[in-house]
Amino acid sequence: MTVSSLRSALRDGTSALHLELDNAVGEFGDRLGYADFVQKTHRFRLAVEQALAGAPEGSWAVEPIADLAAHDLADLGVPKLPEAEVPSRDWTPESRLGALYVLEGSALGARLLMRRAQALGLHADFGARHLAHQASDSQRWRGFLGVLESVPSDMHATVLSAARDMFGVALAIYSETAHECA
Ligand code: HEM
């Protein structure tokens, strides 16, 4: 398997899950819908950022956005949801990269989501801080793809499996209705 095919395998192997996630998030055509999205993003990112904290020296580290999402919730006058739990696992460099693919890739979609948030009057200094931050660094994704290139082909399946698991964690959170989170 060539390097670019790991990225293709990740995209192809998670595209159905991404579509499900996209449907769960919906369009957020008003501030209420947007606030629901930010509550879930905060819940997801806080749990996952904690689970992936303490990256080994020299490895790709998570760019945290949970605090910015919390700030967005405060702007919007909306409470945080209760903390979620991520199933524990022994992270290997490869499974960590699979999980990171989901977090890093979400920044690509953030540009589109930022435009939707702006249409609701939100911006980098009010309500859409976490999206503005994610959308601001276009070099980061390129750097991450470079890291994916270093994964030996016999480990590609492990990376993909971890990415699918992390999409599963996201789906569980974004699909919940308000009363299920309590
Ligand atoms: C309504 C919500 C969402 C929309 C509309 C959306 C939209 C998009 C779009 C347009 C891209 C491709 C961008 C490009 O190629 O330039 C993308 C990529 C991606 N998104 Fe989302 N996204 C959403 C939510 C999420 C969430 C919540 C996650 C993860 C928690 C996520 C993970 C990813 C990943 C991993 C990629 C990279 C796919 C690749 O390898 O190219 N997305 N998204």
Side-chain angles (χ1 to χ4, degrees), residues 22 28 106-118 131 135:
D22 199 347
F28 59 78
S106 71
L108 298 178
R111 299 194 182 102
L112 171 72
L113 299 179
M114 184 67 196
R115 285 197 292 279
R116 287 193 201 160
Q118 282 170 326
L131 287 175

Side-chain angles (χ1 to χ4, degrees), residues 18 45 63 65 100-114 130-142 144:
H18 187 281
R45 292 295 300 224
E63 178 69 11
I65 58 161
L100 286 167
Y101 164 76
V102 180
L103 302 191
E104 295 297 339
S106 71
L108 298 178
R111 299 194 182 102
L112 171 72
L113 299 179
M114 184 67 196
H130 81 282
L131 287 175
H133 183 77
Q134 282 191 294
S136 66
D137 189 354
S138 52
Q139 292 308 308
R140 197 176 160 84
W141 177 246
R142 194 166 293 281
F144 183 68

Side-chain angles (χ1 to χ4, degrees), residues 57-142:
E57 188 72 20
S59 65
W60 190 267
V62 179
E63 178 69 11
I65 58 161
D67 285 353
L68 288 169
H71 207 148
D72 288 333
L73 289 176
D75 291 340
L76 297 163
V78 172
K80 295 173 188 168
L81 296 175
E83 282 193 30
E85 276 186 37
V86 175
S88 62
R89 69 185 296 162
D90 288 329
W91 293 106
T92 62
E94 291 76 23
S95 61
R96 179 179 285 277
L97 280 180
L100 286 167
Y101 164 76
V102 180
L103 302 191
E104 295 297 339
S106 71
L108 298 178
R111 299 194 182 102
L112 171 72
L113 299 179
M114 184 67 196
R115 285 197 292 279
R116 287 193 201 160
Q118 282 170 326
L120 301 172
L122 305 168
H123 49 80
D125 299 315
F126 186 88
R129 297 167 197 270
H130 81 282
L131 287 175
H133 183 77
Q134 282 191 294
S136 66
D137 189 354
S138 52
Q139 292 308 308
R140 197 176 160 84
W141 177 246
R142 194 166 293 281

